[in-house]
Amino acid sequence: MVLHEDWQRICPPDENSFVNETLDSLAQALMPSEETWKEPPSLLNGTAGTALFYAYLYSYSHNSLHKELCEYYYKTSINSLYEGILPPTFSNGIAGILWMHEHLKAKGLPLRFFRLDIESIQRQMYECLLEMGSDGDYDTLHGLLGITNYFLESEDSPIKEKAMRTTVEILSDSAIIQASGIYWNEKQIYDSYPSVGVNLGLAHGMPSIIVMLSKMYESLDADRHVLSLANGTYDWLITQELQDSVCMYPGKIYEDGHKQLSRLSWCYGDLGIANSLYLAGKNFRNNLMLEKAQHIAVHCVRNLDPRIYSYEGCLCHGTSGAAHLFNRLYQHTGVSEYRDASLLGFRYLLTHGRHPDAKERTFLKKEYDDNDELIWVPSNSFLNGISGIGLSLIAYVDDTSPDWDRILLLS
C-alpha cells in the first residue's frame, strides 16, 4: 500500500474565502477578554490550545497580530507553571503545557520562548509517570501515556529514553495475555461509571496504546519487545470485530460482557481505529495493519450517514474531528473516497454546523446543566471548542502539515 507523506489542501478554491472569513471570526472570538482570563492554562481545555491555534493561523496568514496573540497565550500558559499547583496530566496540566512549549519551539516560530529548567521538569514528569503506572492508569489524556506523549515531543535526552523504556516495561507488566492477544483493563475513575472493562476508543483505549508503541518503536531503535507488545495488542483488537452492526468495533467492552456501540468520531469508533492502524502500520512497516486500516476506513465511508454531522463541531466527538480524520486518511493514502467524506464534513460544518444561538461563524458545545437539561455554551478549547475547530479548518485550507494533531495521535 502506498503511503503519501506531503500534506495537500483539499478545500476547493471557490470555498477559500468563506473558510477564511470563518477563521477570522474564530480569531476574533478568541481575542483576550474578561472571559478568556478565566480560561485554565491547559492544552486540551485552555490557553495552551489557543496558543496552538494562533501559531498555525500565523503560519497560514502571516498576520503579525496572530503571532502576538500566540505569544500572549503561550506566556499565559507557561506562567501558570510558576503560579500555582497544576496536575501533571497531558489534558489538563503540566505535561500538555510542556508539549505546547516543545512543539512551538520545534516549529521555529519567531517567539520569545521561556528558558525552562527542562532537566528538573523532566525528572518530575518521570516521577509522575512512575506513579501513574503503579496506579494502573495508562490513559492517553489523563494518565501514563499522556506523560509519554510529552516526552516524545521533547528533544532527545537520557531521561526521555528512560521514560519511554519505563513506559514499555509498565505496559508489559500490566498486560493481560490471552490466546487472542494482549489487552489492558481501563482504570475506573468515577464510582458512577458502569463496571470497568476494556476501552477501544482512540482517546483512552487500545488504539492509543498501539499508536504510542509504534512511536516508541521508532525512538527506541526498533526494540523487538515493543513490536511484540504492539502485535499482541493488534491481534486482540481485531478479534473484537462485531457482526451485523453498523460499527465494526465497540467503544467499550464491560466486565459483564456488554458491548457499547460507537459512532464516527475521534474519541471513539471505527474512524479513530482506522487512523491509529494506518499510523502504526506505517511506523512498524506492517502491511497487515495497513490493510486492516484500509478495510475499516472503507467501511466508515460506505456507512457514512450525513446525520452524524451535527451542531456540535468539536474535534473530540463532533463534525470537525470526523472531517479531519477523513482528511488524514486521504493524506495517508490518496484515496479519493476519504477526501470526499472529509469535504462533506467540512461543508456541513461551515453551512449547517452551527447551533441557531451561536454568533455568526462561531460554534457552541453542548453540556447538561444541574437539572440534567441540555444547554449550548461557548467554548474556546482545543478538544471541545473553537481553537480545535479552527485548527482543523486551517488544515483544510492550507498545504502545511498539521503536526498539532500529534496531540490526537494522528501523526
Side-chain angles (χ1 to χ4, degrees):
M1 178 179 295
V2 176
L3 289 176
H4 296 241
E5 298 299 333
D6 295 332
W7 188 268
Q8 304 171 18
R9 55 165 285 156
I10 65 169
C11 178
D14 61 346
E15 298 176 20
N16 199 78
S17 61
F18 188 67
V19 178
N20 287 338
E21 290 171 7
T22 302
L23 287 170
D24 287 343
S25 296
L26 298 181
Q28 184 66 33
L30 287 165
M31 291 275 286
S33 67
E34 288 186 11
E35 291 302 313
T36 60
W37 293 339
K38 302 174 186 176
E39 294 282 325
S42 63
L43 178 60
L44 268 62
N45 298 299
T47 56
T50 304
L52 281 183
F53 166 73
Y54 278 118
Y56 278 83
L57 187 60
Y58 170 68
S59 295
Y60 172 60
S61 70
H62 305 293
N63 183 330
S64 60
L65 175 61
H66 297 153
K67 179 178 79 72
E68 292 171 12
L69 289 166
C70 171
E71 193 165 72
Y72 168 80
Y73 282 113
Y74 164 80
K75 288 181 176 179
T76 299
S77 301
I78 296 295
N79 278 331
S80 71
L81 298 176
Y82 303 98
E83 293 173 351
I85 299 174
L86 292 172
T89 58
F90 187 75
S91 174
N92 297 315
I94 297 170
I97 295 170
L98 293 173
W99 190 100
M100 177 271 298
H101 169 78
E102 296 287 354
H103 186 76
L104 293 184
K105 279 181 61 181
K107 193 168 170 58
L109 292 175
L111 304 178
R112 288 166 290 182
F113 290 101
F114 280 59
R115 294 175 64 91
L116 302 179
D117 185 353
I118 293 297
E119 184 176 345
S120 174
I121 289 171
Q122 288 195 338
R123 284 198 300 269
Q124 295 174 47
M125 287 291 95
Y126 181 76
E127 293 302 316
C128 294
L129 183 150
L130 290 176
E131 182 177 347
M132 290 173 176
S134 66
D135 199 28
D137 186 1
Y138 64 79
D139 193 282
T140 310
L141 301 186
H142 311 294
L144 165 74
L145 292 179
I147 305 291
T148 310
N149 200 358
Y150 154 66
F151 276 109
L152 283 166
E153 195 70 14
S154 66
E155 296 181 6
D156 289 342
S157 68
I159 196 165
K160 173 180 177 177
E161 180 175 347
K162 181 180 179 182
M164 287 188 290
R165 293 195 181 281
T166 299
T167 298
V168 173
E169 182 180 335
I170 290 170
L171 288 174
S172 180
D173 290 345
S174 58
I176 299 170
I177 302 173
Q178 293 185 338
S180 58
I182 298 172
Y183 68 94
W184 289 261
N185 278 325
E186 183 179 25
K187 175 181 169 59
Q188 185 164 353
I189 301 175
Y190 304 110
D191 292 338
S192 58
Y193 273 24
S195 60
V196 180
V198 188
N199 192 309
L200 281 78
L202 179 53
H204 306 288
M206 296 303 101
S208 66
I209 292 180
I210 293 174
V211 171
M212 291 296 288
L213 286 169
S214 77
K215 287 171 168 278
M216 290 186 286
Y217 179 75
E218 285 194 307
S219 296
L220 295 175
D221 300 323
D223 187 299
R224 294 189 63 82
H225 186 46
V226 176
L227 180 61
S228 177
L229 277 176
N231 285 338
T233 311
Y234 169 76
D235 290 343
W236 181 88
L237 178 64
I238 63 172
T239 63
Q240 308 310 311
E241 184 172 336
L242 300 171
Q243 302 300 319
D244 302 319
S245 173
V246 68
C247 59
M248 287 185 67
Y249 293 90
K252 285 188 180 183
I253 303 175
Y254 294 106
E255 286 183 338
D256 61 7
H258 172 69
K259 296 182 179 181
Q260 174 183 298
L261 299 184
S262 58
R263 57 180 170 178
L264 291 185
S265 64
W266 168 73
C267 52
Y268 286 95
D270 299 336
L271 194 51
I273 293 173
N275 273 271
S276 69
L277 293 183
Y278 264 121
L279 182 56
K282 170 179 172 285
N283 291 342
F284 286 125
R285 298 173 180 81
N286 185 317
N287 285 330
L288 286 177
M289 287 186 185
L290 293 172
E291 290 167 6
K292 177 57 74 172
Q294 172 88 337
H295 177 64
I296 299 170
V298 168
H299 176 87
C300 291
V301 170
R302 293 179 181 170
N303 288 275
L304 179 62
D305 183 339
R307 287 175 297 181
I308 70 162
Y309 298 126
S310 65
Y311 289 141
E312 198 159 14
C314 66
L315 284 177
C316 180
H317 49 269
T319 305
S320 69
H324 183 71
L325 265 67
F326 276 123
N327 197 0
R328 258 294 166 199
L329 289 172
Y330 170 67
Q331 304 294 337
H332 278 312
T333 66
V335 174
S336 60
E337 284 183 290
Y338 307 151
R339 179 198 60 211
D340 294 344
S342 182
L343 284 168
L344 175 68
F346 280 117
R347 285 168 174 162
Y348 188 94
L349 176 74
L350 291 164
T351 57
H352 302 291
R354 294 179 186 83
H355 189 273
D357 293 340
K359 295 179 181 179
E360 185 180 4
R361 298 205 174 101
T362 60
F363 304 85
L364 299 178
K365 74 164 186 171
K366 65 180 181 181
E367 287 185 356
Y368 290 90
D369 64 17
D370 294 338
N371 297 317
D372 207 28
E373 294 289 332
L374 176 64
I375 57 174
W376 292 85
V377 298
S379 172
N380 292 343
S381 79
F382 171 90
L383 195 60
N384 291 303
I386 59 176
S387 291
I389 293 171
L391 283 163
S392 75
L393 287 172
I394 296 168
Y396 175 55
V397 77
D398 195 15
D399 57 7
T400 300
S401 178
D403 297 331
W404 55 264
D405 69 7
R406 289 202 288 269
I407 295 170
L408 303 176
L409 305 185
L410 299 177
S411 61

